[in-house]
Amino acid sequence: MVSLETTIRDAFLERKQVVAVFFNLEKAYDTSWRRGIINTFQAWGVSGNMLAFIQGFMSDRTIQVRLVTNLSSTTNLENGVPQGSVLSCTLFAVAINGITACVSRPVRCSLFVDDFAVYVSARRLATAERFPAANHKATGGLE
């Protein structure tokens, strides 16, 4: 938020326009790509028991719903990180953190958990609206 606020203040002083798009990723934890998380850890050099622990922690997860005394059948969860765990926030951060590499200057971005903002300033509004935000070389499959 501080980065966005600074961009807005600077644009105001320089008589520029700011265009911003805000995203709230719905069901972010539930839809995190487990294989992508493991791939990121491997790229960071995590291996052995630590990687095996993380893989085991995320695998073979199931869900059931209880309504009063009725219990639904068990459903396997193929993606997502377990919610309510101490590791959940960290695993989700690993899953989403690479999204910032997809945005290249002069477009800027801010990421806070599952809230993502993309913004740019320019002298003319029409110019700001046309800036390409995606750096296709850095997307790593996030397109």
Side-chain angles (χ1 to χ4, degrees), residues 35-56 58 87 90-91 94:
R35 184 72 240 165
I37 294 169
I38 297 301
N39 290 346
T40 300
F41 276 119
Q42 288 174 323
W44 290 347
V46 176
S47 61
N49 289 338
M50 179 61 77
L51 188 62
F53 172 79
I54 293 167
Q55 282 178 306
M58 291 190 300
L87 287 179
T90 302
L91 293 174
V94 169

Side-chain angles (χ1 to χ4, degrees), residues 4-142:
L4 176 57
E5 180 189 13
T6 301
T7 298
I8 293 168
R9 287 178 184 269
D10 290 347
F12 182 77
L13 293 172
E14 298 169 8
R15 297 183 183 267
K16 290 183 176 181
Q17 305 288 318
V18 176
V19 172
V21 179
F22 299 88
F23 301 90
N24 179 287
L25 306 174
E26 190 172 292
K27 297 185 180 182
Y29 282 67
D30 295 335
T31 58
S32 295
W33 184 38
R34 292 179 186 168
R35 184 72 240 165
I37 294 169
I38 297 301
N39 290 346
T40 300
F41 276 119
Q42 288 174 323
W44 290 347
V46 176
S47 61
N49 289 338
M50 179 61 77
L51 188 62
F53 172 79
I54 293 167
Q55 282 178 306
F57 179 75
M58 291 190 300
S59 65
D60 298 324
R61 291 287 177 161
T62 60
I63 189 171
Q64 281 185 307
V65 176
R66 179 187 308 264
L67 182 60
V68 188
T69 58
N70 298 323
L71 194 61
S72 72
S73 59
T74 303
T75 301
N76 290 327
L77 299 175
E78 294 181 19
N79 271 314
V81 295
Q83 294 188 34
S85 165
V86 180
L87 287 179
S88 299
C89 290
T90 302
L91 293 174
F92 178 73
V94 169
I96 195 70
N97 207 40
I99 197 169
T100 59
C102 299
V103 179
S104 57
R105 295 264 185 201
V107 179
R108 301 188 68 198
C109 66
S110 296
L111 176 64
F112 182 73
V113 190
D114 62 346
D115 294 311
F116 184 57
V118 180
Y119 50 95
V120 67
S121 66
R123 295 236 179 260
R124 296 183 35 206
L125 184 60
T127 304
E129 291 173 336
R130 285 194 302 264
F131 272 116
N135 177 353
H136 297 289
K137 293 178 184 170
T139 57
L142 291 172

